[in-house]
Amino acid sequence: MEKRFALSIIAAAMLLGGCSNEAAVPASDNTLFEKIDTNEQTASATEEGSEGEATTPEDLADEASKKDAPAQDTANAGTAEADGTDEASSTELAEDYSAQIKSEIEGAVSDSLSDELASVNEIYNKYDELRMNAPDQAAMNWLSQWGTLVWKEESLSLLSRLQEKDPDNYPSIFTEYQNWEKYVPSMAEKMSYLYVDGSIYSSVYAYNEAMRYKENAYSLASTLADIIGDVTFSFPDNTPCGYYGDYAGDSYLIITEGMEGGSYDVLVHIDDSKELRGYGTIEDGSDSDNILFTSEDGTVKGSISHFSLDATLSVTESDGSVVNTGESYSFTFKY
């Protein structure tokens, strides 16, 4: 299969929301998309963050709100690029949803962590709807930030509860979160490789950034479920799309949604010395959900098994130039 870079098709794919299964829980009704009352917003979020390193979820939440809150002149600049943008659209672009998102995440907290994650998916979909209904690409890029903030706030909420329920192990959990978060930009950048020179790169990058925080929230929720004995916990949705391997290292496997229904784009990076790019599909009529992989030049074929914590590429055919037939490469942990 040749590369598919038709911008009209790419734009249509993005408007449908990226990796379809990753945001599979729909918003419950249209009332979620009503105009947000500007009186509920705060003006203090554009101030500079305080000096010193964050040491608690609350500190991180404060830093997140200051970092992600839009500057008014930037919002107006994004609006000005859209000739004919109506007043409602301009207001949406200038709006700071930080305080509202924080309040909505607090309201989603539930004894059932599965229900909570489903609710947060609905909140995410609400703000993603703003993005998809943006009047132009500049506005879409601007509105993409709110989906990321939804899942970041959910991660911080779960961290706070882990601190309360498991104080002995919490320091290591929080340290890992901080280490992981430093690499979110690089993971999102790597996952957006197909669009790096395109006009929708910013939106694709923001989507992949949001999904990294979503994966992290799911992992934290799973940890919390074990601690509190939530035996009914399960992920409300699941998808092979993700970043597998060492986020700080040179070996990783990336699976993203392809532009053709039921297809995936795949990048395999091994020890910073070998790389394969290609596409994958689920075998028709098969009980397995393994992805059948074919490299761009057709010289390598294989099967990718994927789970919630890892993925493995098993090479079934190869010309030996990059990998050999019969070799397997495993990538532990999914981010």
Side-chain angles (χ1 to χ4, degrees):
M1 181 183 295
E2 298 179 351
K3 289 186 178 179
R4 306 170 297 279
F5 289 102
L7 291 180
S8 61
I9 300 178
I10 295 174
M14 276 302 301
L15 289 175
L16 289 175
C19 191
S20 57
N21 289 334
E22 290 213 53
V25 181
S28 57
D29 57 58
N30 290 333
T31 60
L32 286 171
F33 307 105
E34 293 178 355
K35 181 70 182 69
I36 297 174
D37 186 351
T38 57
N39 291 329
E40 296 177 356
Q41 311 307 321
T42 62
S44 62
T46 56
E47 297 177 358
E48 289 293 326
S50 60
E51 295 183 358
E53 188 172 349
T55 57
T56 68
E58 290 74 17
D59 292 338
L60 287 178
D62 289 341
E63 288 187 359
S65 64
K66 293 171 184 176
K67 173 184 174 183
D68 295 315
Q72 188 72 24
D73 56 348
T74 305
N76 291 337
T79 306
E81 295 186 26
D83 292 335
T85 300
D86 59 25
E87 182 178 353
S89 297
S90 299
T91 303
E92 286 177 348
L93 288 173
E95 197 68 80
D96 176 7
Y97 295 116
S98 302
Q100 167 123 352
I101 289 172
K102 183 177 180 66
S103 176
E104 289 174 318
I105 294 301
E106 290 174 353
V109 172
S110 171
D111 291 336
S112 169
L113 289 167
S114 298
D115 291 346
E116 177 177 329
L117 293 179
S119 296
V120 177
N121 268 291
E122 292 182 359
I123 296 170
Y124 170 84
N125 287 340
K126 176 178 69 172
Y127 290 97
D128 198 48
E129 186 79 1
L130 289 178
R131 176 187 68 84
M132 290 190 291
N133 289 333
D136 62 12
Q137 189 60 53
M140 181 179 288
N141 292 345
W142 170 255
L143 291 167
S144 295
Q145 65 182 299
W146 304 119
T148 297
L149 187 58
V150 167
W151 286 110
K152 184 183 293 188
E153 288 289 350
E154 173 63 6
S155 292
L156 296 177
S157 173
L158 290 162
L159 280 170
S160 293
R161 280 171 277 169
L162 283 166
Q163 184 178 25
E164 175 187 354
K165 300 295 184 181
D166 192 9
D168 292 337
N169 292 315
Y170 174 76
S172 62
I173 294 173
F174 186 67
T175 298
E176 170 59 22
Y177 175 86
Q178 289 183 302
N179 291 337
W180 163 85
E181 190 171 36
K182 294 175 184 176
Y183 290 91
V184 170
S186 65
M187 284 189 283
E189 181 180 0
K190 291 172 183 175
M191 295 189 73
S192 308
Y193 66 98
L194 287 174
Y195 306 90
V196 66
D197 295 321
S199 62
I200 66 169
Y201 174 79
S202 294
S203 286
V204 175
Y205 173 94
Y207 171 79
N208 285 321
E209 182 182 51
M211 292 301 101
R212 305 293 61 75
Y213 279 99
K214 176 180 177 178
E215 286 287 344
N216 180 74
Y218 275 35
S219 177
L220 292 173
S222 179
T223 300
L224 181 58
D226 289 340
I227 293 171
I228 65 176
D230 184 356
V231 296
T232 63
F233 174 77
S234 62
F235 295 145
D237 56 359
N238 193 25
T239 170
C241 296
Y243 185 104
Y244 298 83
D246 183 2
Y247 59 73
D250 299 324
S251 293
Y252 52 87
L253 182 150
I254 290 171
I255 302 175
T256 54
E257 189 81 1
M259 288 184 294
E260 299 179 4
S263 69
Y264 300 95
D265 292 306
V266 179
L267 185 151
V268 185
H269 196 85
I270 306 168
D271 296 330
D272 214 21
S273 61
K274 302 176 182 179
E275 184 171 282
L276 294 170
R277 295 188 180 189
Y279 65 93
T281 57
I282 303 297
E283 184 178 5
D284 291 338
S286 172
D287 292 334
S288 171
D289 59 355
N290 288 354
I291 295 174
L292 301 181
F293 171 77
T294 303
S295 63
E296 287 180 340
D297 59 7
T299 61
V300 178
K301 294 184 179 182
S303 175
I304 299 174
S305 58
H306 53 89
F307 305 95
S308 58
L309 294 178
D310 60 59
T312 298
L313 168 66
S314 300
V315 181
T316 56
E317 297 180 30
S318 176
D319 64 355
S321 59
V322 180
V323 294
N324 297 312
T325 302
E327 292 180 339
S328 294
Y329 298 89
S330 294
F331 303 86
T332 302
F333 296 118
K334 180 182 180 183
Y335 301 98

